[in-house]
Amino acid sequence: MVQPFRQRCYSGSGKSTLLNILGALDQPTKGDVYFNDRSFSKMTQNELADFRNQNLGFIFQFHHLLPEFSAIENVLIPTWIKAGRGTNIKAARAKELLELVGLKDFIKSKVTNLSGGQQQRVAIARALINDPAILLGDEPTGNLDSESTDQVYGLFRTINETLGTTLLIVTHNDHIAAKSDRVIELADGRISRDYLNSSFDDEEAFLKVAPVYCKICQHMRVEKHHL
Amino acid sequence: MMFEWKVATRFLKEGKGQSIFILLGISVGVAVMVFLNTLISGLQEDLINQTVGNSAHVWLTGQSVFEQQISEMGEDNVVAGNADPRPVQLNNWQAMIEVLGERDDLRGILPLVEGNAFYVNNSVATPVIIKGFDSQKADAIYNITTRITTGNSNYDGNNLLVGHTFATDNELKPGDIIKLNLPSGSSQSFVISGIFDLGNSAVNSSWMVMDLSRAQKLLGYGNEVTKIEMQVKEIFEAENIDASIDNRLDHVVVDNWIESNSSLLTALQSQSASSIMIQVFVLLAVTLGISSVLAVSVVQKSKQLGILKAMGTKSGQASRIFLLQGSILGIIGSLIGAAFGIGLVQMFLWGTSLSTGVPLFPLSIQPQNILVIAIISSLSSTIAAFVPANRSSKLNPVEVIRNG
């Protein structure tokens, strides 16, 4: 997994299960997952917990922030887990990340006072704080309006380009899939298609990936032409 | 600050209503325990003090000729005849006093002579007990000087002190002369110098307190005494002290207050037992309360726990978050409860002294008891958190994430 890629799947095809297995949260009934030649099945629960903490960042459909903590505290939680104590040594980095996701003015806010899109962006900053190799997203924009969705995906691109983080995103939104470098399509628990988007130009990608009934895509295509 | 601590305190702080509620529960429980404990031990102390506070705890008398002849019980042993009821004199009592004086578990030692006599008034004979005290030493046990109601406490020469009940019954006052008839047939007159109240009606109606040398002469003991009375420092050590004195001295009979007040002690013990029972049940209720509140809290926080676990929190850490909550609640609740309990005790003292000016009975706050209650309650709170903590550690993050 060296390339940023996304999988696009249909409901019930096993995408969330796959993501949980890749995220070391669930065990496969058959087979194994390797990360840098380390086998998940040979790691203890505690080792897997450390692995998740240090190598993975999770972004879920529901932001899953801790309402008891402020925005910056939520971002810092993975560093606390890593250090085993409530340290502020990475507070500067957390501020940087919150600025990166556009929440400069909400650093000390209680997360319950933020909008859905803002909360999701806090979750993204939190997923990035331990400099993970892979960012796993399970429908990360599933609960957001199209404007917030665009912001979040723009952000993913920036993260991918500036930090070199691999993003693995589960979605059945074709328009999002069309924006990724690599698309793996799942159907009934099997890979049905696997192709690189980066070889196409935007126009071609949209036509290839987005089915005709994708209204947003149509709309965006028009917008793009205007630009 | 430990990571688990930070999360635990934040959970408690954010769930303010719930935390305050359970703290209140623990505090009330601990307060009840502290109050009950102080009340019962104060009551018992008062009772014991009233019973034996101003009397002998351990005493020794001489072995009568009859007692000296008691042999091992066998099948052919037959006992017949009359025993001499007259108290036997203690041989070599000065040496015994010296031996007893070396012990540091005794507070007061009083050699005395005891004997029976009759006071005859209008042809009614009242049996009385003559107590010949060494006036220098009697106060160590009986505190008689401070317990004179009328007259003075001087009982040397032909002066004697009589009890409050005796004086009232026979219409006697200080300065009156009374005549005592002895079993031997002789009779002698004494001047009442004072009237005492030792707080015990049997004593107040029968004791004639006079000087040791006067009583020795009156009862015909020469220079000898019939009894040595002692007060011990640790009242419940009386039995052990009795045994050790018995070991040390020959030809004496040693008795103690515990043996002669066994029914009182049984009552005290059952009172303590019921007090402890109540405290155990209160503790149980408090523990179950904490356990259920934390169990609910695990369910409430399952989303947060799932996400913490997805981010790398280990199962052990997840369970510690709840154990910590249990102990934090327990410690704070115990401290508040202890203060509250002490407040209740003060209110009891104040409330019962409103009408009379003195409390119903004195209660003394016992810091060591309160400490024990607080420690046990804190520990129980931690233990109460074990079940919820275990549930928290078993929580599967996948389920939480899937269900949002």
Side-chain angles (χ1 to χ4, degrees):
Chain A
M1 279 184 273
V2 282
Q3 248 181 327
F5 72 99
R6 290 174 196 171
Q7 40 172 345
R8 177 184 58 168
C9 323
Y10 302 101
S11 293
S13 57
K15 54 186 159 51
S16 289
T17 308
L18 178 62
L19 199 76
N20 287 337
I21 290 170
L22 292 177
L25 290 168
D26 215 347
Q27 280 101 39
T29 45
K30 232 167 97 185
D32 203 349
V33 182
Y34 289 87
F35 180 87
N36 288 346
D37 295 331
R38 282 184 79 192
S39 156
F40 280 12
S41 64
K42 294 203 176 72
M43 286 157 83
T44 65
Q45 283 301 321
N46 283 348
E47 282 169 346
L48 286 173
D50 281 338
F51 172 82
R52 285 200 296 273
N53 181 251
Q54 282 152 36
N55 297 299
L56 300 178
F58 288 93
I59 305 161
F60 303 98
Q61 179 174 0
F62 308 98
H63 56 81
H64 284 308
L65 297 175
L66 272 65
E68 291 85 358
F69 294 87
S70 70
I72 189 162
E73 284 173 324
N74 263 287
V75 175
L76 283 169
I77 285 174
T79 71
W80 297 345
I81 296 171
K82 189 175 177 180
R85 58 197 175 85
T87 162
N88 277 333
I89 43 171
K90 290 195 89 175
R93 173 75 180 141
K95 270 182 202 157
E96 250 176 61
L97 286 171
L98 281 169
E99 278 175 37
L100 179 74
V101 298
L103 291 175
K104 196 180 174 185
D105 300 332
F106 301 95
I107 285 171
K108 291 268 162 69
S109 304
K110 290 215 87 176
V111 290
T112 42
N113 295 337
L114 301 179
S115 73
Q118 288 170 330
Q119 288 178 333
Q120 195 61 302
R121 280 183 274 157
V122 175
I124 293 167
R126 179 180 67 184
L128 288 169
I129 186 77
N130 275 349
D131 298 323
I134 306 169
L135 209 74
L136 299 171
D138 189 354
E139 296 278 12
T141 53
N143 273 351
L144 302 181
D145 55 33
S146 54
E147 199 192 327
S148 302
T149 303
D150 273 353
Q151 282 178 0
V152 167
Y153 276 96
L155 197 57
F156 283 167
R157 263 294 162 207
T158 319
I159 290 159
N160 176 233
E161 277 154 18
T162 55
L163 305 176
T165 310
T166 302
L167 292 132
L168 184 80
I169 288 153
V170 160
T171 182
H172 51 239
N173 184 333
D174 298 314
H175 138 249
I176 290 161
K179 285 187 168 183
S180 52
D181 295 345
R182 180 178 169 190
V183 179
I184 300 169
E185 288 186 12
L186 291 186
D188 300 326
R190 295 185 174 280
I191 295 174
S192 56
R193 275 170 84 198
D194 179 358
Y195 54 91
L196 292 177
N197 253 354
S198 43
S199 53
F200 312 126
D201 61 33
D202 278 2
E203 182 78 9
E204 218 175 335
F206 275 120
L207 289 172
K208 212 171 172 65
V209 180
V212 278
Y213 54 80
C214 175
K215 285 177 187 153
I216 311 169
C217 306
Q218 297 288 351
H219 162 71
M220 288 187 68
R221 277 173 69 194
V222 175
E223 263 188 3
K224 261 196 157 5
H225 284 296
H226 283 296
L227 286 170
Chain B
M1 197 180 359
M2 217 167 78
F3 163 68
E4 293 92 319
W5 173 266
K6 186 147 191 163
V7 177
T9 48
R10 187 61 65 90
F11 278 3
L12 287 175
K13 229 160 73 190
E14 291 300 314
K16 222 174 272 160
Q18 214 169 31
S19 306
I20 288 173
F21 220 62
I22 190 66
L23 270 184
L24 215 64
I26 301 171
S27 307
V28 169
V30 172
V32 167
M33 288 193 274
V34 166
F35 180 65
L36 195 71
N37 191 286
T38 312
L39 193 72
I40 296 292
S41 49
L43 193 69
Q44 298 199 337
E45 205 171 288
D46 188 52
L47 208 60
I48 292 170
N49 196 26
Q50 290 217 342
T51 314
V52 293
N54 283 109
S55 65
H57 301 153
V58 179
W59 55 92
L60 54 92
T61 49
Q63 237 170 14
S64 68
V65 181
F66 175 72
E67 281 167 323
Q68 281 170 22
Q69 284 172 347
I70 292 173
S71 57
E72 287 287 304
M73 192 65 190
E75 279 193 16
D76 52 349
N77 280 4
V78 178
V79 182
N82 299 320
D84 184 0
R86 212 174 96 98
V88 188
Q89 66 188 44
L90 278 170
N91 295 316
N92 212 7
W93 64 275
Q94 284 92 343
M96 288 182 193
I97 296 278
E98 244 170 68
V99 169
L100 295 171
E102 285 165 12
R103 300 182 65 103
D104 54 8
D105 48 5
L106 300 178
R107 205 160 50 187
I109 304 169
L110 173 67
L112 63 120
V113 240
E114 247 179 358
N116 299 316
F118 287 99
Y119 165 68
V120 183
N121 183 26
N122 296 334
S123 71
V124 178
T126 315
V128 295
I129 300 167
I130 291 169
K131 293 269 179 180
F133 287 162
D134 181 336
S135 57
Q136 302 289 312
K137 293 171 180 166
D139 274 356
I141 293 179
Y142 293 103
N143 223 357
I144 222 161
T145 332
T146 59
R147 307 175 95 185
I148 301 289
T149 53
T150 40
N152 62 57
S153 63
N154 173 26
Y155 53 91
D156 55 355
N158 254 354
N159 293 318
L160 55 63
L161 305 174
V162 298
H164 173 68
T165 319
F166 179 83
T168 319
D169 287 353
N170 297 294
E171 293 172 345
L172 294 166
K173 57 185 190 306
D176 287 351
I177 291 168
I178 60 169
K179 202 165 86 175
L180 297 179
N181 294 340
L182 294 171
S184 60
S186 64
S187 68
Q188 293 199 23
S189 295
F190 295 87
V191 181
I192 297 174
S193 59
I195 295 166
F196 60 80
D197 180 3
L198 290 188
N200 177 322
S201 69
V203 168
N204 283 349
S205 64
S206 64
W207 281 23
M208 304 279 123
V209 175
M210 61 182 75
D211 187 58
L212 177 64
S213 57
R214 186 72 187 85
Q216 282 170 331
K217 215 160 79 187
L218 177 71
L219 299 167
Y221 284 109
N223 214 7
E224 304 300 328
V225 299
T226 60
K227 195 174 182 183
I228 298 173
E229 292 186 338
M230 289 153 272
Q231 269 201 347
V232 299
K233 284 176 183 159
E234 288 301 322
I235 198 140
F236 287 102
E237 280 297 297
E239 272 180 320
N240 295 334
I241 293 169
D242 175 334
S244 99
I245 292 173
D246 211 2
N247 256 340
R248 184 82 164 76
L249 301 173
D250 288 329
H251 304 301
V252 292
V253 178
V254 192
D255 261 317
N256 62 70
W257 75 274
I258 296 175
E259 262 171 55
S260 55
N261 286 288
S262 56
S263 59
L264 170 76
L265 278 161
T266 315
L268 290 180
Q269 272 161 9
S270 32
Q271 200 182 39
S272 297
S274 54
S275 148
I276 286 171
M277 281 287 275
I278 296 170
Q279 290 181 52
V280 166
F281 280 108
V282 169
L283 189 69
L284 199 68
V286 168
T287 312
L288 288 175
I290 298 168
S291 196
S292 53
V293 166
L294 287 179
V296 170
S297 169
V298 170
V299 176
Q300 286 174 335
K301 307 282 184 204
S302 59
K303 202 179 114 182
Q304 285 91 322
L305 284 165
I307 199 71
L308 284 172
K309 280 186 164 184
M311 291 190 297
T313 302
K314 298 179 181 82
S315 294
Q317 291 177 307
S319 71
R320 272 199 294 279
I321 290 171
F322 283 87
L323 286 180
L324 271 174
Q325 289 189 62
S327 16
I328 292 167
L329 287 172
I331 290 167
I332 297 176
S334 300
L335 288 178
I336 299 173
F340 193 33
I342 292 170
L344 271 179
V345 170
Q346 299 301 339
M347 264 173 60
F348 175 86
L349 292 178
W350 174 77
T352 55
S353 65
L354 272 186
S355 52
T356 56
V358 279
L360 200 56
F361 46 87
L363 292 182
S364 57
I365 305 283
Q366 311 213 308
Q368 72 275 19
N369 286 5
I370 294 175
L371 195 71
V372 167
I373 290 171
I375 289 173
I376 290 178
S377 308
S378 306
L379 280 180
S380 318
S381 307
T382 313
I383 291 166
F386 262 105
V387 177
N390 193 33
R391 277 182 63 174
S392 148
S393 78
K394 291 207 174 108
L395 200 99
N396 185 358
V398 172
E399 266 157 49
V400 177
I401 291 157
R402 189 172 298 152
N403 299 332

